Amino acid sequence: AQSVTQPDIHITVSEGASLELRCNYSYGATPYLFWYVQSPGQGLQLLLKYFSGDTLVQGIKGFEAEFKRSQSSFNLRKPSVHWSDAAEYFCAVGARRGSGNTGKLIFGQGTTLQVKP
Amino acid sequence: DTGVSQDPRHKITKRGQNVTFRCDPISEHNRLYWYRQTLGQGPEFLTYFQNEAQLEKSRLLSDRFSAERPKGSFSTLEIQRTEQGDSAMYLCASSLGVPAGELFFGEGSRLTVL
């Protein structure tokens, strides 16, 4: 069965410091992988996704993530965090069916990011 | 704004009452998804539609839950005989249905069952 684990429930970093949010997945083949961000009172917004090809993917707001097949990981990074990055971050895995993505996503439980001034 | 819209944003009801949520997806999107999110958890998949066809339902979707998308546009999610355990945020998302296509989420409908 597919599953996603985000080991860190809560992370606090200082503004300007680097950030890495961990994500491990369980899936029988190469999945589609996503990172979403959810700010209070806002809908989930896609930061980036991995479909195939280059294992280092760039997203919006200066985020990047690296797919490591050998570690079943898809960690999210940002070199310098801004106060506006404080939010909840979700890693998700999507199943492939035939040649396409069914769209059904399995989410991790999320990591809450707090940014200290 | 032409994003995914959900209504109502917040519903408070008494146990045993029926509630209905509506989702209007992005107009050109043929896929529509319902998720449920409880406090401190990630969204859990409930069901999805491709056009008007409901193609998959989670085991989480008990008999008290029903979803429709009658004309392949908006969708409704009805919960009958609500229970306190149904209290959650109900999220709707839509997509174009292309490989690795992005899901666009609405802001959610929060249900509180007293």
Side-chain angles (χ1 to χ4, degrees), chain A residues 27-108:
Chain A
Y27 185 66
T30 302
Y32 299 109
L33 294 160
F34 303 79
W35 275 98
Y36 279 84
V37 61
Q38 187 177 37
S39 299
Q42 303 294 315
L44 288 152
Q45 181 184 20
L46 181 71
L47 286 175
L48 48 77
K49 65 184 179 185
Y50 173 75
F51 176 60
S52 65
D54 193 346
T55 57
L56 184 64
V57 293
Q58 302 296 321
I60 62 171
K61 305 185 180 185
F63 286 92
E64 66 177 26
E66 186 171 13
F67 169 58
K68 292 186 177 179
R69 185 192 306 274
S70 61
Q71 298 177 19
S72 297
S73 70
F74 189 55
N75 294 347
L76 182 71
R77 300 194 293 249
K78 186 170 184 178
S80 177
V81 169
H82 188 263
W83 64 266
S84 61
D85 293 324
E88 192 153 20
Y89 291 80
F90 294 96
C91 181
V93 60
R96 298 179 188 240
R97 175 193 287 173
S99 60
N101 178 2
T102 67
K104 172 184 170 182
L105 296 185
I106 306 299
F107 285 85

Side-chain angles (χ1 to χ4, degrees), chain B residues 81-100:
Chain B
R81 305 181 302 282
T82 53
E83 302 173 355
Q84 288 186 326
D86 297 330
S87 295
M89 179 75 84
Y90 291 86
L91 300 172
C92 177
S94 68
S95 79
L96 282 171
V98 297

